[in-house]
């Protein structure tokens, strides 16, 4: 149980670091030191950029990745195949 808790904590820490880096990256470069004041004051220039553009895009990406991962997990569980994907299971032909 301790290995699972440690691995989950490590992955969540990596996710948080990547979230901060993703929010700071863009055409209007926001330094990491300016992120917290911009989050606390949404009416500032950087706050508008963060709350209207970068944070929703980041959350959509996280939700999309989680959705794709759960669909892949369901597909592998359905076919009881750890290597199941649409091309190996011939599911891609049903779109035509």
């Amino acid at each position: 149980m301790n290995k699972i808790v440690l691995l989950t904590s490590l992955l969540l820490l990596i996710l948080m670091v990547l979230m901060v880096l993703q929010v700071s990256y863009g055409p209007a470069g926001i330094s990491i030191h300016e992120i917290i004041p911009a989050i606390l004051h949404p009416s500032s220039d950087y706050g508008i950029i963060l709350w209207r553009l970068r944070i929703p895009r980041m959350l959509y990406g996280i939700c999309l990745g989680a959705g794709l991962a759960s669909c892949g997990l369901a597909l592998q569980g359905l076919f009881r195949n750890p290597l199941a994907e649409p091309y190996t299971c011939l599911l891609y032909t049903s779109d035509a």
Side-chain angles (χ1 to χ4, degrees):
M1 187 74 165
N2 289 334
K3 289 182 181 180
I4 294 172
V5 171
L6 182 66
L7 181 65
T8 304
S9 301
L10 181 66
L11 290 175
L12 285 175
L13 180 68
I14 290 171
L15 178 66
M16 284 189 219
V17 169
L18 290 175
M19 287 168 59
V20 169
L21 289 175
Q22 191 276 332
V23 167
S24 67
Y25 181 73
I30 301 174
S31 69
I32 294 175
H33 302 290
E34 296 171 337
I35 290 175
I36 298 297
I39 289 174
L40 295 177
H41 303 290
S43 61
S44 66
D45 291 337
Y46 288 146
I48 291 171
I49 292 171
L50 286 179
W51 284 107
R52 292 198 181 168
L53 297 174
R54 294 187 184 175
I55 291 176
R57 186 182 305 151
M58 175 191 59
L59 294 177
Y60 291 150
I62 291 171
C63 291
L64 180 69
L68 287 173
S70 62
C71 288
L73 179 68
L75 187 65
Q76 289 178 359
L78 179 68
F79 291 111
R80 299 184 192 277
N81 182 2
L83 299 174
E85 60 180 18
Y87 295 108
T88 59
C89 296
L90 299 176
L91 293 179
Y92 68 94
T93 57
S94 63
D95 292 339

